[in-house]
Amino acid sequence: MKYSKKEYQEYLNKKSPDSNIIKDTTLAFLVGGGICVIGQGIFDLYNVLLGISEDTSRVLVSVTMIFLGALLTGLDVYGKLAKYAGGGTLVPITGFANAIVSPAMEFKKEGLVLGLAAKMFVIAGPVLVYGITASAIAGIIYFFLRFVGVLV
Amino acid sequence: MRKRIGRQTAEIDNAYIVSSGAIVGEKEGKGPLADYFDIVLPDNEWNEKTWEKTESKMQREAVKLATRKGGVDLSCVDRVFGGDLLNQCISAGFGLRELDIPFYGIYGACSTMIEGLSLSAQVIDGGFCDMAVAVTSSHFCTAERQYRNPLEYGGQRTPSAQWTVTGAGAAVVSRDVGNIGIKHITTGKIVDMGIKDANNMGGAMAPAAYDTIKAHFEETGMSPDKYDLIITGDLGKIGAEILVELLNKDGIDISKNYKDCGCMIYDIEEQDVHAGASGCGCIASVLCGYLLPEMEKGNIKSLLAVGTGALLSQTSSLQGESVPGVAHAVGFKRRENI
């Protein structure tokens, strides 16, 4: 072939179509924002309409959104929405629910223990590991800064 | 008699296609070639509990279908060459176990169909057996599970991504003279141009197809116009364009009689498959369901079929490896044109 490896890679890059950045980011913005608006609406439902305290309402919103994310994944709706929404449906809580429920559904065929339970965190695992680790490190730094009096 | 005509190419004198059969899924049954397939599945499961079992069933039924169409009893088949995309080729192993035919498991990724036909032609023409079957399959759900994400997961696919075909194809090859003769086989080398994007397989495999096609024409001394049709398995829209350009740079013009099965089995505009189809079942179902029957009818007199495979795995991609490609070729000619 007349191309070297590097030349071929550059050539392929030029020939491969790029994603439509404007369409993708706009849809992600609209759907992601829309999901957050729904979350706010549910908060108002609990807090304002049903008179539940603010702290409890916040927890209830998370629970409700997780439920909805899981339900829509089970009904095969979430994946279809994500095809257009991209980053917008990756939004934590609903996206996280989808990332856990989808492998759980898929790997049930390999049994409840080594299939469903073992593979359930195959997508969301890194979020848990690095999210929890980052928060622990942040907590240690915060504690230290308070200890030396930099923060109060 | 010496059959070697080059390092990669051999001439075949006594191997003919008896019959072939193709089984496809719903999406393929809605595509441009829908009417040509023998069986279109009603859903992804075909009455099986898991998709892996479905794919095994597809291979088994494809072999039974092809042999039935050729009036051949399974006990007359001396060898079956079978493979697929799943780890340890379980679709072939579990699918073909009941058929009681001496079995060679092979792996060429999406080039497996052509690899199987190439090997069948060689063992038959070499006098080692009288009849062989080449079979392969792929299933969208089993492939997604193994290579990518759970089906219900909300992820987006890139523009260069290809859709794995749910399909199985089987072809019966025999020493007995038939209408379609296998005239040449060209064995591909593994070609790796360092492409790391597992979502751009067409682009990764095109250099392998280029290498094999070039060797085929150089070693046989033929020019592309000696074939009515040249096909590749699943380079997709991007890979197909690249192949034509790469060959053109070397003075080999296939632009007038070249098609890619990955662009034939789906309506790229309507069926939302991005760059086209992929999977072992792609060239298998198009060849066994459409092209070989067209040759049998006399509508195509000569065909160069080039299966293209990407030899990556999930592990290799995660470890930062590139995508190596391989392409195998089989040249078919109608009996009267040999």
Side-chain angles (χ1 to χ4, degrees):
Chain A
M1 189 178 338
K2 301 230 156 59
Y3 291 114
S4 68
K5 275 194 187 176
K6 195 160 179 300
E7 285 165 349
Y8 182 74
Q9 284 162 34
E10 283 163 13
Y11 166 65
L12 179 61
N13 224 358
K14 263 193 293 184
K15 289 228 63 125
S16 304
D18 290 324
S19 309
N20 188 336
I21 286 250
I22 296 179
K23 179 170 161 231
D24 286 345
T25 46
T26 306
L27 281 173
F29 175 76
L30 291 172
V31 176
I35 292 176
C36 295
V37 167
I38 291 173
Q40 179 66 51
I42 293 175
F43 177 83
D44 289 344
L45 174 78
Y46 289 130
N47 186 236
V48 176
L49 206 68
L50 295 176
I52 300 172
S53 81
E54 208 178 288
D55 281 342
T56 310
S57 291
R58 280 210 196 98
V59 175
L60 285 174
V61 167
S62 297
V63 172
T64 311
M65 294 304 272
I66 290 171
F67 172 73
L68 288 174
L71 180 69
L72 292 176
T73 301
L75 295 174
D76 203 19
V77 169
Y78 203 88
K80 296 201 166 75
L81 178 65
K83 192 194 144 46
Y84 300 101
T89 38
L90 240 51
V91 162
I93 300 279
T94 47
F96 199 69
N98 169 255
I100 294 190
V101 171
S102 49
M105 285 171 66
E106 183 105 318
F107 293 105
K108 200 173 78 147
K109 294 181 186 105
E110 267 100 73
L112 293 175
V113 176
L114 294 174
L116 187 152
K119 296 267 173 73
M120 202 151 128
F121 294 98
V122 73
I123 300 172
V127 178
L128 293 170
V129 171
Y130 293 110
I132 293 171
T133 305
S135 67
I137 292 173
I140 292 169
I141 294 173
Y142 176 70
F143 172 77
F144 177 73
L145 290 176
R146 277 190 60 179
F147 185 72
V148 296
V150 173
L151 286 177
V152 284
Chain B
M1 197 183 70
R2 193 152 169 85
K3 299 175 192 290
R4 178 191 192 274
I5 61 173
R7 187 170 180 220
Q8 294 171 246
T9 308
E11 220 168 66
I12 303 288
D13 297 303
N14 298 294
Y16 298 86
I17 299 287
V18 176
S19 53
S20 63
I23 301 176
V24 298
E26 286 179 275
K27 202 179 178 79
E28 296 73 21
K30 297 196 174 101
L33 300 177
D35 296 333
Y36 292 98
F37 301 119
D38 296 281
I39 298 177
V40 175
L41 300 184
D43 52 41
N44 282 326
E45 286 76 33
W46 205 10
N47 288 328
E48 294 292 327
K49 285 208 174 82
T50 70
W51 297 312
E52 285 75 11
K53 287 184 163 52
T54 307
E55 197 181 332
S56 298
K57 184 176 182 179
M58 288 168 73
Q59 282 216 17
R60 182 176 63 249
E61 294 305 312
V63 173
K64 284 158 84 175
L65 170 68
T67 48
R68 206 164 48 230
K69 280 170 84 174
V72 160
D73 199 82
L74 286 172
S75 57
C76 297
V77 181
D78 295 328
R79 303 280 180 276
V80 61
F81 291 92
D84 57 85
L85 294 176
L86 302 185
N87 291 332
Q88 289 76 61
C89 290
I90 52 170
S91 305
F94 286 85
L96 305 173
R97 64 181 157 178
E98 302 166 10
L99 299 183
D100 224 31
I101 307 173
F103 166 74
Y104 281 116
I106 56 174
Y107 185 73
C110 307
S111 70
T112 302
M113 185 72 215
I114 306 301
E115 184 183 346
L117 281 168
S118 177
L119 292 168
S120 298
Q122 292 177 75
V123 299
I124 286 175
D125 194 31
F128 300 109
C129 64
D130 292 337
M131 191 176 289
V133 169
V135 60
T136 187
S137 64
S138 56
H139 192 299
F140 177 75
C141 302
T142 58
E144 287 295 297
R145 266 183 126 216
Q146 179 171 286
Y147 286 95
R148 287 171 279 275
N149 288 314
L151 290 179
E152 298 80 3
Y153 177 64
Q156 267 184 331
R157 293 162 60 242
T158 66
S160 63
Q162 289 166 255
W163 190 275
T164 307
V165 160
T166 299
V172 183
V173 188
S174 156
R175 285 189 74 77
D176 297 332
V177 179
N179 287 325
I180 305 170
I182 294 177
K183 193 62 208 146
H184 291 105
I185 61 102
T186 300
T187 303
K189 296 191 245 111
I190 305 173
V191 179
D192 189 342
M193 293 302 281
I195 305 302
K196 295 207 172 167
D197 184 4
N199 283 312
N200 198 345
M201 287 201 296
M205 296 187 294
Y210 154 86
D211 191 82
T212 298
I213 292 176
K214 182 157 186 262
H216 179 82
F217 287 124
E218 278 176 0
E219 291 175 354
T220 56
M222 287 196 280
S223 52
D225 60 0
K226 290 281 182 289
Y227 287 108
D228 283 352
L229 182 62
I230 299 170
I231 57 158
T232 47
D234 53 359
L235 292 183
K237 221 168 34 168
I238 303 163
E241 263 177 49
I242 291 174
L243 176 66
V244 174
E245 286 175 19
L246 289 176
L247 287 168
N248 226 346
K249 272 190 172 334
D250 285 2
I252 303 172
D253 179 16
I254 60 168
S255 58
K256 297 185 183 56
N257 54 347
Y258 164 62
K259 286 199 185 134
D260 177 71
C261 295
C263 301
M264 290 164 72
I265 196 170
Y266 296 133
D267 183 332
I268 294 205
E269 307 302 315
E270 295 293 307
Q271 291 190 279
D272 187 34
V273 288
H274 294 219
S278 71
C280 305
C282 185
I283 192 171
S285 52
V286 174
L287 184 69
C288 296
Y290 171 54
L291 294 171
L292 288 176
E294 285 293 287
M295 275 197 87
E296 186 66 45
K297 285 187 228 158
N299 295 333
I300 299 174
K301 307 244 185 326
S302 52
L303 169 70
L304 180 65
V306 185
T308 46
L311 300 174
L312 78 171
S313 79
Q314 247 214 335
T315 307
S316 69
S317 292
L318 287 172
Q319 291 183 354
E321 268 287 0
S322 51
V323 180
V326 69
H328 295 293
V330 170
F332 299 92
K333 285 223 154 97
R334 275 218 36 118
R335 181 166 38 128
E336 60 270 14
N337 292 75
I338 286 176

